[in-house]
Amino acid sequence: MLKIMQSEIVATAVRPKQYPEDNLAEVAFAGRSNVGKSSLLNLITGRKNLARVSASPGKTQTINFYLVNKDHDPFRIVDLPGYGYAKVSKKVTQDWGEMMETFLTQRQGLRKVFQLVDVRHKPTAQDVQMYEFLKYYHLDGPVIATKADKVSKREAQNQMQVIRKTLGMEPEDVIIPVSALKKTGVDKVLDAMETIIGAE
Ligand code: GTP
Ligand code: MG
């Protein structure tokens, strides 16, 4: 069972030159702005303030690299800037797209991307686009249904079916409900991460 003993931010990047230089294994978190990517990072590392969390969308605007377990089987978790919030110019949207595409298609150590979606909502067109992009590049990891505390267990089960269908997930594709508030779902996320990092 993977345990995260240590974690620290090691790079903040908008372009490849700013990425960590080695090809250490990485997993990344992607999803709409405000979906809970940074909260999930804090949850699984057990660090309340490792990544900045905010109620207003657009908090994470750079690609943030976190080194985990540096003394023993190290890997990195990459917190990606969110998409889909209003009030950004065309130029910002375009820059975001280039920054993300460059990272996702050129990053040697990147194993899989965990895609986060809010359990309460049907995935948006952008969510679907991201998922299809990840599938195409064989980067699709588990889908994380966030904010599970906001709905009943039964409603969460229903919504996960909606998410599966909307994203076009295959029966073998994995979806994991998580609540950063209630601290549930951590073990399943860590198990998935261990499998991904452990596989060559
Ligand atoms: P960007 O950095 O803007 O892309 O957003 P993000 O995906 O990193 O979201 P962030 O972790 O900053 O969380 C956004 C808001 O959702 C914050 O107010 C969090 O406290 C809240 N939030 C995140 N996860 C959960 C959860 O599991 N349950 C509840 N109730 N709130 C959550
Ligand atoms: Mg964030």
Side-chain angles (χ1 to χ4, degrees):
M1 167 89 197
L2 173 65
K3 265 192 115 161
I4 297 185
M5 316 292 290
Q6 287 168 318
S7 50
E8 63 190 287
I9 186 156
V10 287
T12 292
V14 292
R15 60 186 71 85
K17 276 203 169 141
Q18 300 164 328
Y19 299 169
E21 277 182 26
D22 60 87
N23 289 335
L24 192 65
E26 289 173 348
V27 293
F29 293 161
R32 266 176 82 83
S33 191
N34 216 42
V35 72
K37 298 175 294 297
S38 299
S39 298
L40 178 63
L41 178 76
N42 291 344
L43 175 69
I44 67 167
T45 56
R47 306 240 339 240
K48 252 193 215 152
N49 301 311
L50 183 60
R52 289 224 190 93
V53 163
S54 164
S56 50
K59 190 68 198 171
T60 312
Q61 304 246 2
T62 49
I63 300 177
N64 296 340
F65 296 81
Y66 296 86
L67 176 62
V68 164
N69 292 348
K70 67 176 167 189
D71 296 328
H72 189 70
D73 296 335
F75 65 98
R76 280 188 295 259
I77 300 174
V78 185
D79 188 14
L80 295 168
Y83 50 82
Y85 63 103
K87 287 201 288 194
V88 292
S89 64
K90 253 200 177 140
K91 169 88 171 97
V92 169
T93 307
Q94 202 179 346
D95 288 350
W96 177 90
E98 280 169 27
M99 173 167 70
M100 291 288 282
E101 190 167 338
T102 301
F103 173 77
L104 293 171
T105 60
Q106 294 180 22
R107 190 67 177 149
Q108 291 289 325
L110 181 63
R111 297 285 174 80
K112 291 288 179 197
V113 178
F114 288 53
Q115 187 171 353
L116 282 69
V117 292
D118 189 318
V119 75
R120 295 170 294 176
H121 308 306
K122 184 178 170 191
T124 64
Q126 272 177 306
D127 288 324
V128 175
Q129 197 182 0
M130 173 61 74
Y131 193 67
E132 286 175 351
F133 182 95
L134 296 176
K135 280 251 172 195
Y136 181 82
Y137 287 102
H138 304 294
L139 285 170
D140 54 302
V143 170
I144 309 291
T146 65
K147 312 195 184 184
D149 54 275
K150 298 228 185 209
V151 297
S152 69
K153 274 238 163 73
R154 189 193 159 82
E155 181 65 7
Q157 290 304 326
N158 286 339
Q159 278 300 114
M160 289 199 290
Q161 289 309 316
V162 172
I163 292 164
R164 276 186 173 282
K165 203 169 162 207
T166 311
L167 293 181
M169 294 173 70
E170 304 289 343
E172 66 270 23
D173 292 336
V174 173
I175 178 164
I176 305 171
V178 163
S179 166
L181 193 73
K182 294 260 176 76
K183 304 190 195 298
T184 55
V186 185
D187 290 359
K188 287 217 165 77
V189 173
L190 289 175
D191 280 347
M193 219 168 256
E194 185 172 34
T195 306
I196 291 162
I197 297 299
E200 273 313 305

